[in-house]
Amino acid sequence: MDFALSEEQRMLQDSIAGYLESGCPLSRVREVAEAGESRADDIWQELTNLGVHGVLIDEDYGGVGLGVLEAALIAEALGAAVAPVPYVASSIMAPVALAEAGSTGQKETWLPQLAAGEVVAGVGLSEQIGRRESEGVTASGGKLRGKAMFAMDAASADILIIASDDGALHLVDPGASGLNREKLKTIDRTRTVSEITLDRVDAEVLPGSVTNREPLLTTIDVGRVILAADTLGAAQVMTDKAIEYAKERRQFNRVIGSFQAVKHMCAEMAAELEPCRSLIWYTAHAYSAIPEEGRLMACHAKAHLSEVGKFVARKSTEVHGGMGITDLLGLHYWFKRIGFNRQMLGAPELVREEAARVQAWV
C-alpha cells in the first residue's frame, strides 16, 4: 500500500508551483493588492492554460476530471505563492455545487465555461454556517430576498451561487435587477469577498438541492479542505522564511539561528506543520475512497490547520523580529492569508462543534 503521492500528483503540484515561482513573485502580488484588483489577469490566464480551473470538472464538460486531493495540492501551491486569483469558490465550490445539484442544462451551460476560465463564479454560503439574526436569504416564487455576507470570489464574478435559508442552492446573475454587490475590505487583499443584497432577485434553483442538503454540505466540506490546504502552503513558506532569516541575521557576532531559543521556535513550527500534510492528503483522499469519513475529516482538517497556521504565523513573525511586520519584507501577506482562511467557512471552535455533531456527541 502506497501512502505517498503518485508521480502524476507530484508532477501536477510541481508544475503549478514552478510556474508560480516565476509568474507570481511577491512584487506582482503587491501590485495587485495595492491596486485593489479582484485578480491578476495574467496569472489567471496561465492557470487556465494549466487546467487549474477545471481540476474537479469532468472531461465531458471540458475539465481535467481529477479529485479533491489534486485540487488540494494546487491550493497548497497557490497558498505558498499568496496568488491573487479566485480559486476556492470559482474553481472548487461552484463546480462541486453544480456537479452535485445542477440540472443537465445548468451543467452544460456553466461547467465548460468555468473549466475554460471564461467566467468567474462567486459563492455565498456563509449564512449556512453562522450569521447575524437579521441576515439570511429567503426564496419564494423563483426570487431571492435578503443578504448574503462574505460571498467568496464574488467581487468580479460573472455568476453567483447563493444558498437560501432552507439549504437550496440558486444561480443568480450579478447584474440582475434588485441585486447590489459591495466588495468588502478584509485583512487579506489577495482575495475578495462581497456583501450581496437581494431584493426579489430572479434566481434559478439547482434542482438537486431543493429537498436535499447534501449538495450544500458537500460544497462546504470541499471548500474547507481547500482552505486548509491553502493554509498549509502559506504556513510552510512562513516556516521556511523564518529558518532562512535565522541563518542570515546576526546579533552579537553570531547568526540568531545559533541561539537556543530561536532554534526551538523554528523546530516547533516544523514539528507542528509536518503532520498537517498527511492530514490534508488523507482528508482529500477520503472523498473518493472513504466518503463516509469525508465530512468529519474536513472539519478536523479545517480546525487543525487553522490553529497550526495561526501558531506558525505568530512564531515566524517573532523570529523575524521588527522586520516581520514591515511591508518591505512582505511576510504579512502570508500572515493575513492564514488569518482569512481561519475565519472563512467556520472558525475552529464552530467547526469542532460541527465535528461533534457529525459523531453524534451533541
Side-chain angles (χ1 to χ4, degrees):
M1 185 176 292
D2 189 357
F3 292 99
L5 298 178
S6 68
E7 183 179 354
E8 291 79 8
Q9 289 165 339
R10 289 194 298 270
M11 289 176 61
L12 170 67
Q13 190 172 45
D14 289 345
S15 66
I16 302 298
Y19 159 68
L20 292 171
E21 185 177 354
S22 59
C24 185
L26 186 59
S27 58
R28 182 68 180 112
V29 175
R30 185 177 280 113
E31 285 176 5
V32 175
E34 292 181 352
E37 298 173 3
S38 298
R39 73 181 189 192
D41 288 335
D42 54 333
I43 300 173
W44 171 268
Q45 186 56 55
E46 188 57 36
L47 292 176
T48 299
N49 296 338
L50 290 170
V52 165
H53 308 310
V55 61
L56 292 184
I57 298 175
D58 287 343
E59 294 181 65
D60 291 343
Y61 297 107
V64 184
L66 299 178
V68 178
L69 177 52
E70 287 79 11
L73 296 176
I74 293 171
E76 183 181 345
L78 293 172
V82 286
V85 291
Y87 180 68
V88 179
S90 185
S91 301
I92 302 300
M93 296 176 70
V96 168
L98 285 163
E100 292 288 323
S103 66
T104 300
Q106 289 167 339
K107 293 176 185 178
E108 291 176 347
T109 298
W110 295 109
L111 289 178
Q113 294 186 69
L114 287 169
E118 296 172 356
V119 300
V120 173
V123 176
L125 308 181
S126 294
E127 281 65 41
Q128 295 293 319
I129 300 166
R131 72 181 193 189
R132 301 169 185 169
E133 291 182 0
S134 60
E135 309 301 345
V137 178
T138 58
S140 178
K143 296 183 182 293
L144 298 182
R145 176 177 295 187
K147 185 180 291 184
M149 296 291 293
F150 306 109
M152 302 169 66
D153 294 346
S156 61
D158 304 289
I159 189 70
L160 299 172
I161 296 179
I162 296 176
S164 54
D165 292 346
D166 58 4
L169 299 168
H170 305 263
L171 284 170
V172 181
D173 180 355
S177 175
L179 185 148
N180 181 62
R181 173 172 51 176
E182 180 180 353
K183 182 179 177 180
L184 300 176
K185 186 175 183 180
T186 69
I187 59 170
D188 182 11
R189 293 185 292 169
T190 65
R191 290 172 296 180
T192 66
V193 295
S194 301
E195 175 183 306
I196 310 296
T197 305
L198 306 145
D199 184 11
R200 292 188 57 78
V201 175
D202 291 333
E204 183 182 341
V205 72
L206 301 186
S209 67
V210 174
T211 59
N212 183 8
R213 288 181 62 87
E214 277 303 306
L216 168 68
L217 297 177
T218 299
T219 301
I220 293 173
D221 290 342
V222 177
R224 285 172 171 168
V225 176
I226 299 306
L227 286 172
D230 191 278
T231 292
L232 173 63
Q236 184 64 63
V237 169
M238 292 197 78
T239 300
D240 294 342
K241 285 183 175 293
I243 294 171
E244 291 171 8
Y245 186 78
K247 293 178 179 179
E248 298 172 357
R249 179 73 167 93
R250 301 183 68 87
Q251 284 185 338
F252 310 110
N253 294 321
R254 294 171 57 185
V255 293
I256 63 172
S258 66
F259 300 141
Q260 190 173 38
V262 176
K263 288 180 182 179
H264 284 175
M265 293 168 72
C266 293
E268 284 178 324
M269 285 187 285
E272 289 286 340
L273 193 58
E274 185 56 33
C276 294
R277 185 164 283 103
S278 298
L279 175 60
I280 294 294
W281 289 358
Y282 181 84
T283 301
H285 172 69
Y287 271 90
S288 58
I290 324 169
E292 63 273 15
E293 294 188 11
R295 182 151 303 138
L296 177 61
M297 292 308 303
C299 290
H300 285 326
K302 176 65 165 63
H304 189 65
L305 265 295
S306 295
E307 300 290 21
V308 172
K310 178 183 177 181
F311 173 82
V312 169
R314 185 181 73 247
K315 288 294 183 182
S316 178
T317 304
E318 290 173 359
V319 170
H320 283 84
M323 284 294 293
I325 60 173
T326 63
D327 185 62
L328 178 65
L329 193 66
L331 197 67
H332 63 89
Y333 284 102
W334 289 272
F335 190 110
K336 294 173 180 176
R337 184 111 173 183
I338 290 170
F340 178 92
N341 290 343
R342 178 185 173 89
Q343 296 303 123
M344 293 306 297
L345 300 182
E349 300 82 6
L350 188 150
V351 178
R352 289 196 191 98
E353 183 179 347
E354 187 170 330
R357 288 196 297 271
V358 169
Q359 298 174 92
W361 289 356
V362 294

